[in-house]
Amino acid sequence: MTTYNGSRYLRPQIDSIILQLDAEDELVISDDRSNDKTLELLREYASGQVRIVQTPGNLGPIRNFEYALAQARGSVIVLSDQDDVWLEGRLTRVRDHFSGNTMPYDLLVLDSNIVDGDLKPTLGSLFELLSAGPGLIKNILRNTYVGCHMAFRRQLLDIAMPFPRAIPMHDVWLGLVSESLGPVTFEPGATMLFRRSGENYTQSRYSMIQRLTWRIGLMTSLVQLRLSARFRERSDHATTGKAT
């Protein structure tokens, strides 16, 4: 999880996650130098299972997620925003998916119900709203990889990190890299309340010029990655169907 000035909605989200953690799980929360009461609240939860870290400076959402991912120690990583609420059984769905195969570059995307700041339903299923699903061109043109809906094996980070400077967000990059390496599963059935309150850490309205610039940056970054030695080496592992 990453946080930035999120104290208003943070407690329900953390509580909904902690209730689902097994003994071997950890919750890593990276705060991007908040100036409200976020860090004070986070410190209430700090324990051997809940690790609170701070970025070395105000990095913004992409670099904050990169920093958080670098701290994670688990074999499967589940992304989280600071203001949603996980529904009962979400982590069980994640565990069932990854225990059922050994593919090293397997990405799972779970659906959510969209709600307002008071958790009242607004737009229904995120998958239905976005016509979400895999496809390189599809997601370059209109991204349907939304980070807090995603889970993957940590091997993906060996390929996808460090994040290129030209990408618009970490989630679309992780999704497109996953598609280049292994299976991507969009699994229907809401496992989360996806809060869109107008106070979210990231926003979604940008100019056409900015969107075009990001698309070019994504395509260029993908080409550069696919030509890299680390991509070719890991691609060989992926074709064996075994985790390393």
Side-chain angles (χ1 to χ4, degrees), residues 2-232:
T2 62
T3 60
Y4 179 70
N5 290 350
S7 58
R8 181 176 180 182
Y9 299 121
L10 189 53
R11 193 178 296 278
Q13 170 68 312
I14 295 177
D15 289 343
S16 73
I17 294 173
I18 288 177
L19 285 173
Q20 301 187 42
L21 297 179
D22 281 348
E24 68 273 14
D25 296 332
E26 66 172 358
L27 172 59
V28 177
I29 307 176
S30 176
D31 182 68
D32 200 22
R33 298 287 168 173
S34 294
N35 53 37
D36 66 350
K37 294 184 178 181
T38 294
L39 192 58
E40 178 182 333
L41 187 155
L42 291 177
R43 285 171 175 156
E44 296 179 23
Y45 288 92
S47 67
Q49 195 170 34
V50 180
R51 292 197 290 127
I52 313 300
V53 298
Q54 270 196 302
T55 57
N58 187 246
L59 303 181
I62 298 178
R63 300 303 153 193
N64 191 11
F65 263 107
E66 186 174 47
Y67 190 77
L69 289 168
Q71 317 302 315
R73 298 176 295 204
S75 60
V76 173
I77 296 172
V78 185
L79 301 184
S80 171
D81 284 348
Q82 64 184 2
D83 52 2
D84 304 318
V85 174
W86 286 13
L87 299 177
E88 184 179 356
R90 176 176 171 79
L91 281 188
T92 298
R93 298 256 307 257
V94 173
R95 293 187 189 100
D96 288 347
H97 177 86
F98 287 100
S99 65
N101 67 78
T102 57
M103 295 295 291
Y105 306 113
D106 181 17
L107 177 73
L108 174 66
V109 189
L110 294 169
D111 198 4
S112 68
N113 288 327
I114 305 169
V115 298
D116 64 14
D118 297 319
L119 299 182
K120 296 178 181 178
T122 56
L123 298 173
S125 158
L126 180 78
F127 280 14
E128 292 179 5
L129 177 68
L130 298 182
S131 297
L136 282 171
I137 301 302
K138 168 190 174 75
N139 283 286
I140 288 174
L141 294 177
R142 185 170 186 259
N143 177 45
T144 66
Y145 287 108
V146 181
C148 58
H149 297 71
M150 296 163 59
F152 48 86
R153 297 190 192 277
R154 68 173 303 108
Q155 285 96 328
L156 176 61
L157 302 182
D158 296 336
I159 311 297
M161 287 175 54
F163 294 149
R165 293 291 171 182
I167 63 173
M169 278 300 287
H170 63 284
D171 47 13
V172 62
W173 176 247
L174 290 169
L176 295 178
V177 173
S178 293
E179 288 203 43
S180 301
L181 290 164
V184 173
T185 302
F186 281 75
E187 190 172 294
T191 63
M192 182 177 71
L193 301 180
F194 185 42
R195 198 192 306 254
R196 309 311 291 162
S197 63
E199 299 180 17
N200 303 88
Y201 190 16
T202 58
Q203 301 298 320
S204 57
R205 294 181 180 179
Y206 303 98
S207 69
M208 285 297 295
I209 294 176
Q210 181 64 78
R211 291 176 184 272
L212 179 60
T213 301
W214 278 332
R215 286 168 185 165
I216 294 171
L218 272 174
M219 290 186 289
T220 301
S221 298
L222 279 171
V223 169
Q224 292 173 340
L225 176 66
R226 293 177 73 93
L227 293 174
S228 69
R230 77 177 188 273
F231 181 87
R232 293 194 300 272

